[in-house]
């Protein structure tokens, strides 16, 4: 009888997808009213890779259509989390900058995430998590590089 078990690669990415869904729900339960995980994602991205990037560059980083990112950025502007300023290199486009409110909410959410993971932290020690991070980072970098190559 042939082996019908899915490959470990499928199982890995399936588990990562489920973890993403569960962690997104946990995050959204703690966000201020009206904010979504996509808004937090933009704030986190701007802190992680730097401000002053274009909506198109952010859309590419998130691998979503520019129209979808425009809608997400509009929500961030509405909540006072980001500012859109003219692009100094191309007057036809804008660049995205965090506001002090956006930076504060991002920092608050990172701090709150720690409290949301109390039970998780009791089960998985920081040391155990830190052993996983290099492999996960390497996987992300590989996939990111492969995406840019296509």
């Amino acid at each position: 009888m042939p082996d019908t078990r899915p490959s470990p690669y499928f199982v890995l990415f399936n588990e990562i997808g489920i973890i993403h869904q569960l962690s997104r729900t946990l995050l959204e339960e703690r966000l201020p009213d009206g904010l979504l995980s996509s808004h937090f994602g933009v704030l986190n991205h701007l802190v992680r890779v730097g401000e002053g990037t274009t909506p198109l560059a952010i859309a590419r980083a998130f691998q979503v259509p520019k129209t979808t990112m425009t809608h997400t950025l509009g929500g961030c502007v509405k909540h006072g989390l980001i500012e859109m300023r003219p692009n100094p290199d191309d007057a036809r486009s804008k660049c995205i900058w965090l506001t002090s409110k956006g930076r504060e909410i991002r920092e608050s959410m990172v701090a709150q995430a720690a409290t949301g993971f109390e039970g998780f932290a009791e089960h998985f020690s920081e040391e155990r998590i830190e052993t996983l991070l290099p492999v996960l980072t390497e996987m992300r970098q590989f996939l990111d590089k492969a995406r840019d190559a296509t």
Side-chain angles (χ1 to χ4, degrees), residues 124-132:
F124 298 97
S125 69
E126 277 190 38
E127 294 80 19
R128 191 167 175 200
I129 295 301
E130 286 186 9
T131 63
L132 294 173

Side-chain angles (χ1 to χ4, degrees), residues 95-110:
C95 291
I96 309 302
W97 299 89
L98 283 168
T99 62
S100 57
K101 180 181 178 182
R103 195 175 305 282
E104 288 169 15
I105 285 180
R106 189 267 181 183
E107 294 307 316
S108 171
M109 293 313 304
V110 169

Side-chain angles (χ1 to χ4, degrees), residues 32-79:
D33 284 341
L35 295 185
L36 303 172
S37 63
S38 57
H39 300 138
F40 175 78
V42 167
L43 302 179
N44 201 49
H45 177 78
L46 292 171
V47 168
R48 194 172 68 81
V49 301
E51 302 174 72
T53 189
T54 65
L56 181 59
I58 297 173
R60 286 181 180 148
F62 281 75
Q63 298 186 78
V64 297
K66 186 175 183 260
T67 53
T68 300
M69 185 51 64
T70 298
H71 181 75
T72 299
L73 294 173
C76 290
V77 168
K78 176 183 160 193
H79 291 287

Side-chain angles (χ1 to χ4, degrees), residues 52 85-91 93-95 97:
R85 300 180 195 161
N87 185 340
D89 299 326
D90 182 355
S93 70
K94 305 275 186 202
C95 291
W97 299 89

